[in-house]
Amino acid sequence: MIIKSQKSWYTSENDVTPEKLYLNRRSFIAGTASLAVTASVGMGAGNAAFAKNDRILAPLPFRDSGYGTAEPRTPEEAVTSYNNFYEFGTGKSDPAENAWRLQPKPWSVKVEGHVSRPGIYDFEDLIDMAALEERIYRLRCVEAWSMVIPWIGVPLSSIIKKVGPTSGAKYVAFETLADKKQMPGVKSFFNVLDWPYREGLRMDEAMNDLTFIAVGLYGKELPNQNGAPLRLVVPWKYGFKSIKSIVRMNFVEGQPKTSWKKSAPSEYGFYSNVNPEVDHPRWSQKQERRIGEFGRRETMMFNGYGEEVAHLYADMDLRKNY
Ligand code: MTE
């Protein structure tokens, strides 16, 4: 359940374990086999993943949006070392190991299709850095694990308003950079996905208050492995909708092709709303493992954001439109 105005149970910066404490603790616990996070993410000593990826991440100014969850945040080292970013490899530690090759500055995004102001926008022209806000969202991966992440960014709607969609725009399609020189998972042959990575949203989903473009997390710029310099966050959908390192936004009339649906249409649909009632053909979606915790928890319909988004699907059969 998320809140917009601050309520008594809102988890403020001061209530949760401060990031500094996690970081200090990291040197203390590095190498300790009992470390819950390290054990559950299946990696070696936490620091190893940072060995090559030493881009200095600038702190970002932000205001508290009031969007929060009372659950503790997933430690930063888990958020930045247990990733899915297949352009850098399919292993969970591959992105942290390999994404140092990505050059997120300078960056531009091509905006086209049914918009009144198409063009190639520099990152700085698309994102109003004076309007950054923090949102603490649950991310529920289709692989049945989840995290709680303090993102920094702007609502996607603020960007959409800037480029002015026209009446033909029924969906927005996104694409990730696909550059063999920077991304070792993008190859000439035997690719796991058909690059570029593609995602899409219906316009009403894209304009929803919750839909967010993140440019940072934990108070700093996005690490490359998390999708620098800008990635989508759609907290009521499975994590694969949250496309990283976006270079293209196309406003289109028909439902766009998306990478996972194209690769396995019987397993992944366009909507991909978190739904404990609809199992993945190969595993249940009823429960999830919160990274950093032992045991499992019940998965919530729409990842717990139903109050904000259930109306978008009121007339749809979500078993068919998975
Ligand atoms: N975006 C691109 N371009 N390539 C990817 O492989 N993986 C998706 C999504 N965005 C992916 C992507 C999946 S499956 C998940 S669960 C989330 O990114 C993971 O985001 P995180 O690594 O920041 O936690």
Side-chain angles (χ1 to χ4, degrees):
M1 162 76 189
I2 66 116
I3 47 168
K4 273 173 86 175
S5 55
Q6 208 132 311
K7 303 220 170 81
S8 57
W9 50 272
Y10 172 69
T11 314
S12 83
E13 280 281 326
N14 308 327
D15 303 331
V16 293
T17 309
E19 183 197 359
K20 235 188 295 160
L21 231 175
Y22 283 128
L23 294 178
N24 290 344
R25 235 197 277 151
R26 191 169 79 202
S27 48
F28 170 67
I29 46 183
T32 308
S34 62
L35 167 60
V37 169
T38 306
S40 61
V41 302
M43 292 186 49
N47 286 341
F50 294 88
K52 281 190 196 161
N53 199 357
D54 51 3
R55 193 181 126 224
I56 309 276
L57 301 169
L60 294 174
F62 64 88
R63 66 181 176 82
D64 182 350
S65 68
Y67 282 87
T69 159
E71 296 153 356
R73 302 166 194 199
T74 303
E76 184 185 6
E77 58 260 55
V79 175
T80 60
S81 64
Y82 187 77
N83 300 101
N84 276 333
F85 199 166
Y86 277 27
E87 289 86 335
F88 294 99
T90 54
K92 293 287 177 271
S93 56
D94 290 345
E97 180 72 12
N98 296 325
W100 59 273
R101 293 179 172 88
L102 178 71
Q103 284 165 23
K105 286 180 192 175
W107 194 269
S108 56
V109 178
K110 187 172 188 189
V111 177
E112 58 192 328
H114 295 271
V115 280
S116 48
R117 288 175 288 282
I120 295 176
Y121 287 73
D122 287 342
F123 175 87
E124 293 74 16
D125 295 332
L126 215 53
I127 307 288
D128 181 356
M129 295 299 278
L132 295 183
E133 52 185 80
E134 183 179 68
R135 297 192 175 192
I136 304 163
Y137 281 153
R138 286 176 219 104
L139 177 121
R140 168 59 158 81
C141 185
V142 73
E143 297 162 317
W145 50 262
S146 61
M147 296 192 186
V148 174
I149 303 176
W151 301 106
I152 309 231
V154 295
L156 174 61
S157 62
S158 69
I159 294 176
I160 294 180
K161 283 175 197 154
K162 207 170 269 187
V163 303
T166 54
S167 58
K170 305 284 189 256
Y171 295 86
V172 51
F174 301 88
E175 282 179 22
T176 294
L177 176 75
D179 180 1
K180 289 189 200 115
K181 289 200 258 1
Q182 299 179 60
M183 300 167 140
V186 177
K187 302 176 219 161
S188 303
F189 305 103
F190 306 119
N191 284 291
V192 277
L193 287 173
D194 183 15
W195 311 116
Y197 193 97
R198 291 190 175 88
E199 259 309 334
L201 294 173
R202 220 167 55 187
M203 278 307 280
D204 58 348
E205 298 178 319
M207 292 299 291
N208 186 273
D209 247 14
L210 294 181
T211 310
F212 202 56
I213 290 288
V215 300
L217 54 80
Y218 266 111
K220 299 180 290 266
E221 292 174 309
L222 272 184
N224 290 353
Q225 61 270 33
N226 293 93
L230 78 165
R231 60 91 60 85
L232 184 65
V233 181
V234 196
W236 71 95
K237 293 180 181 282
Y238 291 119
F240 65 85
K241 296 296 282 183
S242 297
I243 182 170
K244 296 178 171 182
S245 306
I246 297 167
V247 291
R248 184 169 176 229
M249 288 171 64
N250 193 7
F251 291 79
V252 294
E253 212 159 339
Q255 194 182 89
K257 285 201 167 47
T258 56
S259 289
W260 284 104
K261 186 175 176 207
K262 188 159 182 248
S263 136
S266 61
E267 302 190 0
Y268 307 104
F270 175 78
Y271 284 96
S272 307
N273 294 317
V274 174
N275 188 345
E277 300 308 318
V278 177
D279 289 339
H280 184 279
R282 289 183 283 132
W283 61 83
S284 163
Q285 294 290 16
K286 286 201 169 20
Q287 293 188 322
E288 67 200 56
R289 183 171 58 91
R290 180 68 49 86
I291 299 297
E293 287 179 3
F294 291 107
R296 299 175 80 78
R297 35 168 90 217
E298 300 303 306
T299 287
M300 292 179 280
M301 186 65 202
F302 296 117
N303 203 20
Y305 300 99
E307 215 174 282
E308 290 80 8
V309 299
H311 67 276
L312 298 174
Y313 313 102
D315 55 354
M316 285 174 63
D317 179 350
L318 295 180
R319 288 193 170 271
K320 285 197 188 125
N321 295 286
Y322 55 86

